[in-house]
Amino acid sequence: MPRVAIVGGGLSGLSAAYELTRQGHRDFVLYEATNRLGGIVETHREAGFVIECGADSWVTEKPWARELAIELGLGSEIIPSEDARRRTYLLEGDRLVPMPDGMRMMVPGDLDAIDRSPLFSEAARHAYRAEPSRAAEFQAFAAGRADRDESIESFVHRHFGDEVTQKVAWPLLAGVFGGDISKLSVAAVMPAFLKMERDHGSLILALQSQQRSPAPKQSVFTSLQSGLESLVEAIAARLPPSAIRLSEPVASIARTPDGWQITTPSRSAVFNEVVVATPVPISRELLAPAIPEFHELLDIEATSAVVAAFAFDRAASAKLAIPEGFGFLVPQYVPQCAQTAAAEPGLLAATFVHQKFSHRAPEGCALLRAFFGGDTAPSLLSWPDAELAALARRNLSRVLGELPDPAITLVRRWPRSLPQYAVGHLARVAQIEAILAHHPGLRLIGNALHGVGLPDMVRQGRRAARTLLDQARSAAR
């Protein structure tokens, strides 16, 4: 059986290590450059608050994180989002306008709700009303396009026009990916919507068909009662302690006659199999010297994010005026929205955490998270925590009214953590995988290739481990 190196202790690398261990294979080493496991999965627990420092949940319809949590004995920890309170707002000037009920991203299931919403002009309402009648046109376009990719901006504009693209699609996708929808690939980022177009032509008709399905309704998001880091902690508890090398960054990966040589500042070792599970800028730095094609193919743009969280005790929470819902998005096409005069970076989004999930704050208390990203994030990474927290409070106060002093303030920076799946991304991934096929023993996983969500990380890590063990067993027969 092979000796395995896993480079990177985020969720994808941990999932690979867990699967190896689960199948009885303990001849592996997991290298992590920092002093903790989990990558962008980090939970701060204090005074009854459960504060996610990075990702706060996973998309329920992707099953792999839930399956792993249950395997690890965390089934009783699984909690759904409070969808009865689910409402997302868009910031228009200095006021929050609710998105119409029954929408999936920018697609409405109820056209009457669009007519009642103050969010859209008459032209946008007409574009929505007309979209179902163009179903045959969209299906013909999808059939003729075959494997050609297009941007999310182009895709949404074809269906709903300019206003919906700018007012809804931009902030939604920027809030999730910190990206530019004129560059992001619809095939890579929104494959379910492409399938809706292929099957029904009209996205509205497709969504209405799904809503009529007798299948049980699921919550949109899922998390763990004690925080997502519980998943990391449970995995780490299953791994052989001697296999985990914290604060040991990998300096180079080189092909040798005997396998793959991993070099760190303190040692060097040769492995039969290497699973690279680092952020894409680091993967490129490590692999391009051995595989020159990766200089270009792994040159995948990745944007940064800054998170500021504020926890309020009962007395302070009573002074807050937070509308019912999960949070709000800030349309980026309006120049800094109401923050132009302030001449400082504006929010991408904010979450009313205590309303999105139960068990996140003590009874009567509130928990808010503010997000900065996109073009403004790089300049913010060097700001001190106190200045970032003050910036976030000013932005939130312009929307929610003057915030009282929080009981807990937390700031996290996630540099280059959000890879951008540009148009042509799937073709790029196919090229990368074709090249890896000529380099036996080397595998590349993580959020740069096959999905950015936590379930995608779990799926990739476990699949990589299963594949390499299956191949080793087949070769041994």
Side-chain angles (χ1 to χ4, degrees):
M1 297 300 290
R3 187 169 191 230
V4 182
I6 301 170
V7 184
L11 188 56
S12 56
L14 280 173
S15 297
Y18 166 76
E19 186 63 26
L20 292 176
T21 305
R22 192 184 73 84
Q23 296 205 30
H25 187 78
R26 291 175 170 255
D27 190 7
F28 69 88
V29 176
L30 188 153
Y31 296 96
E32 168 54 40
T34 70
N35 62 1
R36 57 173 294 274
L37 297 171
I40 64 168
V41 178
E42 180 188 358
T43 304
H44 179 83
R45 308 175 182 104
E46 181 180 349
F49 290 94
V50 178
I51 306 174
E52 298 293 6
C53 304
D56 74 346
S57 59
W58 66 76
V59 175
T60 301
E61 67 182 6
K62 294 184 176 183
W64 308 292
R66 181 187 186 91
E67 291 170 354
L68 176 58
I70 292 171
E71 275 185 40
L72 292 167
L74 298 174
S76 63
E77 285 270 315
I78 295 172
I79 56 173
S81 52
E82 299 283 342
D83 283 7
R85 308 177 75 176
R86 181 164 66 93
R87 172 160 281 188
T88 300
Y89 297 85
L90 290 178
L91 182 63
E92 289 223 314
D94 58 356
R95 69 188 183 110
L96 294 177
V97 181
M99 295 269 287
D101 293 334
M103 293 192 76
R104 181 176 178 185
M105 300 291 281
M106 64 281 162
V107 183
D110 180 1
L111 287 171
D112 290 337
I114 294 296
D115 288 340
R116 294 190 300 267
S117 172
L119 193 60
F120 301 107
S121 69
E122 189 55 42
R125 295 189 187 104
H126 176 74
Y128 270 130
R129 286 281 180 190
E131 197 262 358
S133 67
R134 301 170 61 200
E137 169 194 336
F138 295 131
Q139 263 188 314
F141 184 92
R145 179 181 53 204
D147 295 329
R148 294 200 308 275
D149 200 359
E150 68 178 316
S151 71
I152 293 174
E153 180 181 54
S154 169
F155 178 81
V156 177
H157 194 276
R158 284 196 296 105
H159 282 266
F160 303 119
D162 186 62
E163 182 178 333
V164 173
T165 303
Q166 297 294 332
K167 186 172 283 188
V168 181
W170 269 97
L172 283 172
L173 274 298
V176 174
F177 287 91
D180 179 340
I181 67 168
S182 69
K183 300 177 182 177
L184 290 174
S185 157
V186 70
V189 174
M190 300 170 63
F193 287 82
L194 275 186
K195 185 177 188 303
M196 290 163 70
E197 184 182 59
R198 286 195 304 269
D199 293 348
H200 296 268
S202 163
L203 303 181
I204 293 174
L205 295 179
L207 180 58
Q208 291 174 341
S209 174
Q210 293 172 7
Q211 292 173 336
R212 290 192 297 269
S213 168
K217 302 300 181 187
Q218 299 184 106
S219 63
V220 177
F221 304 106
T222 299
S223 193
L224 298 176
Q225 181 172 318
S226 57
L228 290 177
E229 196 167 358
S230 299
L231 191 65
V232 172
E233 293 161 349
I235 294 173
R238 303 290 183 95
L239 305 182
S242 60
I244 301 173
R245 306 275 175 82
L246 294 178
S247 301
E248 191 162 351
V250 170
S252 67
I253 300 174
R255 183 71 167 159
T256 74
D258 299 319
W260 293 93
Q261 181 173 290
I262 300 288
T263 302
T264 73
S266 61
R267 69 191 86 191
S268 181
V270 175
F271 296 85
N272 308 106
E273 297 271 353
V274 174
V275 179
V276 179
T278 53
V280 67
I282 298 173
S283 300
R284 179 177 181 240
E285 182 181 322
L286 290 174
L287 296 178
I291 306 173
E293 298 96 321
F294 282 173
H295 276 291
E296 180 179 352
L297 287 174
L298 291 182
D299 187 14
I300 297 172
E301 180 184 357
T303 61
S304 302
V306 174
V307 178
F310 304 99
F312 300 91
D313 61 22
R314 286 183 179 86
S317 297
K319 301 174 184 177
L320 292 169
I322 299 175
E324 187 83 357
F326 284 5
F328 66 87
L329 303 163
V330 182
Q332 301 300 297
Y333 73 96
V334 179
Q336 292 300 319
C337 291
Q339 292 117 37
T340 303
E344 64 180 13
L347 292 175
L348 278 183
T351 304
F352 311 146
V353 179
H354 59 291
Q355 296 181 169
K356 184 176 181 181
F357 285 105
S358 60
H359 307 289
R360 288 295 181 260
E363 185 69 28
C365 298
L367 178 59
L368 306 179
R369 292 207 313 168
F371 300 86
F372 298 90
D375 293 340
T376 63
S379 65
L380 296 177
L381 295 175
S382 61
W383 286 32
D385 282 5
E387 291 185 18
L388 287 171
L391 172 68
R393 285 189 68 184
R394 287 195 298 273
N395 275 267
L396 289 172
S397 293
R398 292 187 188 108
V399 180
L400 302 174
E402 191 65 31
L403 297 186
D405 291 336
I408 302 168
T409 298
L410 178 148
V411 171
R412 288 292 185 273
R413 301 161 188 77
W414 301 108
R416 302 186 72 183
S417 58
L418 299 169
Q420 301 298 289
Y421 290 4
V423 172
H425 179 77
L426 297 183
R428 178 193 293 261
V429 170
Q431 287 181 272
I432 291 169
E433 292 182 334
I435 290 169
L436 287 171
H438 295 286
H439 296 273
L442 181 63
R443 302 172 196 277
L444 179 61
I445 60 176
N447 67 358
L449 301 183
H450 296 289
V452 300
L454 301 187
D456 301 298
M457 302 301 96
V458 171
R459 175 179 55 85
Q460 289 182 57
R462 299 190 74 177
R463 183 176 62 185
R466 289 171 183 150
T467 301
L468 73 86
L469 289 178
D470 288 346
Q471 290 175 349
R473 289 167 184 144
S474 296
R477 291 192 185 108

